[in-house]
Amino acid sequence: MKSYQTFVEAAKTFAVDAARLANSSRKRHFSVSSKSSVNDMVTNVDKETETYLVERISREFPNDTIIAEEGGHRTGTSGISWVIDPIDGTTNFIYDFPSCTVSIGVQDNDTTVAGAVCDVMQGDIYWAGVGIGSFKNADPIHVRDGVLIENSLIGTGFGYSSARRIAQAEFLASIIGEIRDIRRTGAASLDLCYVAEGRLDGYYEVGLWPWDFTAAALIVTEAGGFVLGPKGTTPSGELTVAASTMELASFLRAKVVPHLPLADA
Ligand code: IPD
Ligand code: CA
C-alpha cells in the first residue's frame, strides 16, 4: 500500500498548531456574523484559522487541492485534497462550551487517507492514517466492544434551519425509547472521535458537510468502527452514521432513511 505517512504527520501538526492559534484567541474579543441563518455563526477566529491553514498547506503542498468551510478553496493538480473545518463547533467556541475542533482530512482522489481532529479547548489530537489505526495523542484508540442497541449512547446534531431542526427533533423522539440515551455536544467531528474512543456508541446526523466528517470518519473506521451513508459505506451530507458495531450502524441508518431528507436544509 502507498505510504501516506507524510500526510498523516502534516495533518496532525497543522491541526495542533491551528487549534493553539484558535485557543489563544478564545478569551479575547472576537466578531461574530451569521451565514445561512441567525444560528449559523462564523467568527473572525474561524476565518483567521482557515487563512493560516490555507497559507501553510499552500506553502508545503503547493500542488494539492484545498476545500475549506469558510471559502478558502484552491484547485491543485496532484489528486490530493485537504478538507478543512477551521473550527467545527463554532457555537460552542463562541459560548466557551468545551467542544470544538480543528478538523483536517486528506484525500487521495476520493479515498480518505489521513485525518486529524484537534480538540481546541482540551488540546487532545485524534488522528488516523489508512491502514495504521487511530490514536488519541500517542495512544491507540478503539471503539467500545459488543454494545447492544438498547444499551447504546448515541450522539447527533441539528442543522441550522428551523424546519430541519423540528424534523430532526421529531425523528429523535421516535428512537429515544429504543436506545440508552442521546448526547448533542455540538461538534460533529468530536462526536465521531468519541465513537472512535468509546465515549459514544454511535452517531448520526443529516445535513453535515464534508469538512465536518471527512477526517473523523477515517478515525472511526481505523478504530474498528463502522461508518455508513444513505446507501453504502460512504458518508454524505444527506446522512452520516457511525457506530461501534455494524448492527448498531445499520439500525440507525434503517431508522433515519425513511425520513430523509428530514426537511429541506
Ligand atoms: C456544526 C457542528 C454541529 C453539527 C452541525 C455542524 P459548525 O459545524 O458540527 O455539531 O450539528 O451540523 O454544521 O457549523 O460549527 O462548523
Ligand atoms: Ca466550522
Side-chain angles (χ1 to χ4, degrees), residues 35 40-41 46 69-70 85 87-91 156-160 184-189 191 203 205-209 211-212:
K35 298 193 288 185
D40 182 7
M41 296 178 286
D46 296 65
E69 181 175 13
E70 309 308 339
D85 195 337
I87 297 184
D88 182 34
T90 298
T91 305
T156 191
F158 301 111
Y160 289 117
R184 194 292 195 249
T185 63
S189 57
D191 289 332
Y203 171 82
E205 186 163 344
V206 170
L208 292 180
W209 293 90
W211 41 78
D212 295 317

Side-chain angles (χ1 to χ4, degrees), residues 178-191:
E178 297 183 57
I179 58 176
R180 172 163 277 156
D181 211 342
I182 280 284
R183 295 289 180 270
R184 194 292 195 249
T185 63
S189 57
L190 199 54
D191 289 332

Side-chain angles (χ1 to χ4, degrees), residues 29 115 132 172 178 182 215:
H29 173 77
I132 65 168
L172 183 53
E178 297 183 57
I182 280 284

Side-chain angles (χ1 to χ4, degrees), residues 47 59 74 76-77 92-93 96 107 124 132 136 139 149 158 165-167 191 208 221 226:
K47 292 176 185 165
R59 208 167 45 242
R74 203 180 61 132
T77 52
N92 288 339
F93 182 81
D96 209 28
Q107 296 189 311
D124 292 318
I132 65 168
K136 179 180 184 180
D139 300 322
I149 291 167
F158 301 111
R165 286 173 168 208
I166 291 166
D191 289 332
L208 292 180
T221 54
F226 298 86

Side-chain angles (χ1 to χ4, degrees), residues 36-67:
S36 64
S37 87
V38 72
N39 294 318
D40 182 7
M41 296 178 286
V42 61
T43 72
N44 63 304
V45 183
D46 296 65
K47 292 176 185 165
E48 285 161 20
T49 307
E50 180 166 306
T51 300
Y52 168 79
L53 286 168
V54 169
E55 284 177 3
R56 188 152 176 198
I57 294 166
S58 302
R59 208 167 45 242
E60 298 190 30
F61 297 91
N63 300 319
D64 295 356
T65 294
I66 300 174
I67 300 159

